[in-house]
mmCIF file of all heavy atoms in Angstrom:
data_model
loop_
_atom_site.group_PDB
_atom_site.id
_atom_site.type_symbol
_atom_site.label_atom_id
_atom_site.label_comp_id
_atom_site.label_asym_id
_atom_site.label_seq_id
_atom_site.Cartn_x
_atom_site.Cartn_y
_atom_site.Cartn_z
ATOM 1 N N TYR A 375 -44.748 70.657 88.939
ATOM 2 C CA TYR A 375 -43.246 70.789 88.899
ATOM 3 C C TYR A 375 -42.616 70.011 90.043
ATOM 4 O O TYR A 375 -41.635 69.296 89.792
ATOM 5 C CB TYR A 375 -42.890 72.258 88.996
ATOM 6 C CG TYR A 375 -41.439 72.498 88.850
ATOM 7 C CD1 TYR A 375 -40.871 72.655 87.562
ATOM 8 C CD2 TYR A 375 -40.611 72.581 89.957
ATOM 9 C CE1 TYR A 375 -39.478 72.876 87.416
ATOM 10 C CE2 TYR A 375 -39.206 72.753 89.792
ATOM 11 C CZ TYR A 375 -38.667 72.901 88.501
ATOM 12 O OH TYR A 375 -37.292 73.077 88.379
ATOM 13 N N MET A 376 -43.148 70.073 91.237
ATOM 14 C CA MET A 376 -42.637 69.339 92.357
ATOM 15 C C MET A 376 -42.655 67.886 92.216
ATOM 16 O O MET A 376 -41.733 67.171 92.564
ATOM 17 C CB MET A 376 -43.342 69.806 93.688
ATOM 18 C CG MET A 376 -43.136 71.202 94.020
ATOM 19 S SD MET A 376 -44.203 71.796 95.405
ATOM 20 C CE MET A 376 -43.503 70.849 96.774
ATOM 21 N N VAL A 377 -43.743 67.415 91.518
ATOM 22 C CA VAL A 377 -43.922 65.968 91.344
ATOM 23 C C VAL A 377 -43.072 65.518 90.137
ATOM 24 O O VAL A 377 -42.286 64.533 90.269
ATOM 25 C CB VAL A 377 -45.382 65.591 91.124
ATOM 26 C CG1 VAL A 377 -45.493 64.103 90.701
ATOM 27 C CG2 VAL A 377 -46.199 65.891 92.338
ATOM 28 N N GLU A 378 -43.173 66.170 89.029
ATOM 29 C CA GLU A 378 -42.501 65.753 87.747
ATOM 30 C C GLU A 378 -40.992 66.094 87.706
ATOM 31 O O GLU A 378 -40.232 65.267 87.227
ATOM 32 C CB GLU A 378 -43.179 66.383 86.587
ATOM 33 C CG GLU A 378 -44.657 66.015 86.419
ATOM 34 C CD GLU A 378 -45.354 66.705 85.295
ATOM 35 O OE1 GLU A 378 -44.622 67.201 84.328
ATOM 36 O OE2 GLU A 378 -46.561 66.849 85.304
ATOM 37 N N LYS A 379 -40.619 67.232 88.235
ATOM 38 C CA LYS A 379 -39.209 67.709 88.051
ATOM 39 C C LYS A 379 -38.387 67.339 89.306
ATOM 40 O O LYS A 379 -37.171 67.061 89.200
ATOM 41 C CB LYS A 379 -39.201 69.188 87.847
ATOM 42 C CG LYS A 379 -39.800 69.666 86.602
ATOM 43 C CD LYS A 379 -38.899 69.433 85.402
ATOM 44 C CE LYS A 379 -39.470 70.045 84.108
ATOM 45 N NZ LYS A 379 -38.473 69.968 83.003
ATOM 46 N N LEU A 380 -39.009 67.396 90.465
ATOM 47 C CA LEU A 380 -38.217 67.156 91.689
ATOM 48 C C LEU A 380 -38.438 65.809 92.323
ATOM 49 O O LEU A 380 -37.785 65.422 93.294
ATOM 50 C CB LEU A 380 -38.532 68.259 92.700
ATOM 51 C CG LEU A 380 -38.239 69.728 92.269
ATOM 52 C CD1 LEU A 380 -38.599 70.752 93.326
ATOM 53 C CD2 LEU A 380 -36.808 69.924 91.820
ATOM 54 N N GLY A 381 -39.424 65.085 91.834
ATOM 55 C CA GLY A 381 -39.715 63.721 92.340
ATOM 56 C C GLY A 381 -40.236 63.648 93.704
ATOM 57 O O GLY A 381 -40.077 62.639 94.417
ATOM 58 N N ILE A 382 -40.943 64.621 94.105
ATOM 59 C CA ILE A 382 -41.596 64.604 95.462
ATOM 60 C C ILE A 382 -42.891 63.792 95.385
ATOM 61 O O ILE A 382 -43.652 63.930 94.455
ATOM 62 C CB ILE A 382 -41.868 66.069 95.949
ATOM 63 C CG1 ILE A 382 -40.504 66.891 95.959
ATOM 64 C CG2 ILE A 382 -42.492 66.117 97.317
ATOM 65 C CD1 ILE A 382 -40.659 68.333 96.275
ATOM 66 N N ASP A 383 -43.103 63.113 96.439
ATOM 67 C CA ASP A 383 -44.334 62.289 96.559
ATOM 68 C C ASP A 383 -45.584 63.146 96.401
ATOM 69 O O ASP A 383 -45.790 64.132 97.108
ATOM 70 C CB ASP A 383 -44.320 61.547 97.908
ATOM 71 C CG ASP A 383 -45.479 60.566 98.096
ATOM 72 O OD1 ASP A 383 -46.368 60.536 97.166
ATOM 73 O OD2 ASP A 383 -45.570 59.871 99.092
ATOM 74 N N GLU A 384 -46.397 62.816 95.427
ATOM 75 C CA GLU A 384 -47.590 63.620 95.115
ATOM 76 C C GLU A 384 -48.466 63.776 96.308
ATOM 77 O O GLU A 384 -49.117 64.814 96.471
ATOM 78 C CB GLU A 384 -48.353 62.933 93.953
ATOM 79 C CG GLU A 384 -49.516 63.815 93.493
ATOM 80 C CD GLU A 384 -50.144 63.222 92.251
ATOM 81 O OE1 GLU A 384 -49.674 62.183 91.756
ATOM 82 O OE2 GLU A 384 -51.099 63.813 91.701
ATOM 83 N N ALA A 385 -48.560 62.788 97.201
ATOM 84 C CA ALA A 385 -49.418 62.827 98.379
ATOM 85 C C ALA A 385 -48.953 63.914 99.402
ATOM 86 O O ALA A 385 -49.742 64.479 100.098
ATOM 87 C CB ALA A 385 -49.564 61.492 99.037
ATOM 88 N N LYS A 386 -47.689 64.167 99.349
ATOM 89 C CA LYS A 386 -47.104 65.146 100.337
ATOM 90 C C LYS A 386 -47.067 66.575 99.781
ATOM 91 O O LYS A 386 -46.892 67.517 100.570
ATOM 92 C CB LYS A 386 -45.690 64.714 100.706
ATOM 93 C CG LYS A 386 -45.597 63.380 101.373
ATOM 94 C CD LYS A 386 -44.141 63.059 101.735
ATOM 95 C CE LYS A 386 -43.966 61.693 102.378
ATOM 96 N NZ LYS A 386 -42.577 61.361 102.665
#
Side-chain angles (χ1 to χ4, degrees):
Y375 184 87
M376 293 171 69
V377 174
E378 297 176 23
K379 296 281 188 172
L380 302 180
I382 302 174
D383 185 353
E384 186 173 0
K386 298 179 180 179

